[in-house]
Amino acid sequence: MSTPHRSTFGRARAATAALVILPAVCAGAIARAPAAVSAAACGEGSFHAEAVRSGSNWSVRNANTTVYSGTDLRAAVQAAVNSLSPGRTSKQRVVVRGSGPMSAGSRISLPSYTTIDVCGTIDVTGSGSGDQAPIYSRGTTEVEVQHLAVTGHPLYGIFMRNVTNVILGQIDMRLSGGLGVRIDNRGNTSQWTRNVRIDTVFVSGASSHAVETYGVDGLTIGTVTARNVGESGLLLNQTINATVSTVDAENAGAGTGYAAFRMANRNGRVGSSYPTNVRVGLVRARGGGRGIFCVSESGGAAIDRVDIANTGNNAILIENCYTVNIAANGGTISGGGEVRLAERTEFAGNRDITLRNFTLANNRIRESPCADNFVISNVTLNNATISRC
């Protein structure tokens, strides 16, 4: 094993910029996600409608009126939602007390100004197609899911499209397939989905991503925990002004090019530039595919800390990305695939990439081809190497 070694390198494509000396990082220079909001117990507090299971029967009441009685969970919850005041301009709340099955080919649709708190587990059965999901909302505003647990094989556990002012609280999905949470703007790409907050999400067993966004402006996430998912733990596509506290993934995307944390499709691009607007406190990855993957003209990202070990593919792959700062606050990368800067010919090459303040063990950093203004600073090498172009 080689003697631990600290290296500082900086290289631009121009020969006159061969060495870059970084100024000290001021305390608090990197913004951090706000602390997770303390959650009330499920079902606590006032509500406008309530769906309660007793034996095999569901009873739904709004005030003193029974609006549904039967054995179908989906029908009961939808009846509770539909019983809220039409045309409302402030949130009204539905509490669900009980568990049960619903078909993968169906959905519970939430209109604007709706809060739902599911104190039980929705078990998704059978098959379906399209954008079906136990919790679905499209073209809405002011929607909140306080608690939700999903099992089975949904197409999506939560699907929201072209929405604004959304809150997802405590989400738990222990799946046998499908995608966990998808929030996007693909119904009308001329309009951003805006102001999305996700407190905590746990997803295991999804065949696709644990959490995916596309076309979101304004995203705040506490913690995404992914276990044994087929693709990424957290995938951000064309998402700007995002703050994430923690991505914690084990065996995410095993045997694939997906990653614990992936940015793609011009993620972080604001107009035609890449100011730092995507901020992640910690990426933790064990096994799986890649640890961090930035691709397809993404960037504007600062990842404060890394804890990556034994990934089957690259520990980190940066491919055609711009203004990416990794590990300003330290961390470790151990084993697994190399830390690699690469390019595709259809996009401009990497530029303004910084790796610093972490320990690299039993691995290497490889730059090929050359990046423009690639800085490596204060990296401790332990049986590891750095290969510059």
Side-chain angles (χ1 to χ4, degrees):
M1 181 177 294
S2 62
T3 301
H5 171 69
R6 291 190 180 274
S7 297
T8 300
F9 297 93
R11 180 179 296 163
R13 288 186 177 174
T16 56
L19 179 63
V20 176
I21 300 175
L22 292 175
V25 178
C26 296
I30 301 298
R32 288 162 178 80
V37 176
S38 296
C42 193
E44 187 176 274
S46 62
F47 52 85
H48 298 82
E50 182 183 39
V52 179
R53 180 174 177 174
S54 177
S56 61
N57 194 69
W58 287 91
S59 178
V60 179
R61 294 178 66 82
N62 184 319
N64 293 317
T65 303
T66 297
V67 298
Y68 176 87
S69 180
T71 59
D72 188 322
L73 174 147
R74 191 215 67 82
V77 177
Q78 194 65 66
V81 170
N82 293 349
S83 76
L84 302 177
S85 301
R88 59 191 175 276
T89 56
S90 60
K91 285 182 184 177
Q92 292 187 0
R93 181 171 180 245
V94 169
V95 173
V96 180
R97 305 187 195 277
S99 303
M102 67 176 282
S103 168
S106 64
R107 60 168 74 118
I108 296 166
S109 294
L110 304 184
S112 295
Y113 299 100
T114 300
T115 296
I116 191 168
D117 203 9
V118 181
C119 307
T121 299
I122 298 174
D123 183 42
V124 180
T125 62
S127 61
S129 61
D131 55 5
Q132 307 287 2
I135 297 295
Y136 174 93
S137 197
R138 180 168 180 171
T140 59
T141 188
E142 300 291 345
V143 171
E144 182 172 357
V145 182
Q146 294 177 321
H147 294 85
L148 177 69
V150 178
T151 58
H153 190 156
L155 294 164
Y156 303 89
I158 295 174
F159 184 95
M160 295 188 174
R161 173 160 285 174
N162 288 103
V163 292
T164 60
N165 302 334
V166 164
I167 299 173
L168 303 183
Q170 315 303 308
I171 310 299
D172 188 306
M173 299 185 181
R174 298 168 194 260
L175 309 178
S176 56
L179 190 154
V181 178
R182 164 91 182 197
I183 301 176
D184 69 32
N185 72 336
R186 309 319 284 171
N188 178 2
T189 56
S190 70
Q191 300 293 322
W192 292 92
T193 278
R194 295 185 185 274
N195 301 330
V196 174
R197 190 186 97 199
I198 303 174
D199 293 342
T200 64
V201 178
F202 176 94
V203 179
S204 67
S207 53
S208 185
H209 314 294
V211 177
E212 179 182 17
T213 69
Y214 208 134
V216 175
D217 178 2
L219 174 68
T220 302
I221 297 178
T223 299
V224 174
T225 303
R227 297 290 183 265
N228 303 308
V229 300
E231 296 177 337
S232 293
L234 174 61
L235 169 55
L236 304 183
N237 298 292
Q238 198 179 35
T239 293
I240 60 174
N241 300 317
T243 303
V244 180
S245 177
T246 300
V247 179
D248 178 354
E250 296 181 4
N251 199 37
T256 76
Y258 288 105
F261 176 55
R262 184 176 193 242
M263 297 177 287
N265 297 305
R266 292 186 170 178
N267 195 75
R269 175 166 166 158
V270 180
S272 59
S273 63
Y274 293 85
T276 299
N277 68 100
V278 177
R279 302 176 187 276
V280 180
L282 169 67
V283 174
R284 176 184 179 272
R286 293 292 182 273
R290 295 183 168 116
I292 297 169
F293 185 16
C294 181
V295 66
S296 55
E297 298 185 306
S298 297
I303 300 170
D304 286 355
R305 294 184 59 81
V306 295
D307 180 3
I308 300 170
N310 302 321
T311 52
N313 209 313
N314 302 92
I316 297 175
L317 177 60
I318 299 173
E319 187 175 86
N320 307 99
C321 288
Y322 322 107
T323 313
V324 177
N325 186 337
I326 294 178
N329 290 351
T332 59
I333 298 171
S334 178
E338 64 189 3
V339 177
R340 173 77 194 278
L341 268 69
E343 331 183 331
R344 300 180 187 180
T345 57
E346 62 264 39
F347 303 123
N350 293 308
R351 67 173 183 270
D352 303 324
I353 310 298
T354 302
L355 306 177
R356 54 180 165 172
N357 299 343
F358 62 89
T359 296
L360 182 69
N362 304 312
N363 204 320
R364 69 171 175 171
I365 297 171
R366 182 160 69 100
E367 174 196 10
S368 178
C370 296
D372 187 354
N373 191 28
F374 175 32
V375 176
I376 303 172
S377 174
N378 198 33
V379 172
T380 300
L381 302 178
N382 188 349
N383 193 34
T385 60
I386 296 173
S387 175
R388 302 299 301 259
C389 70

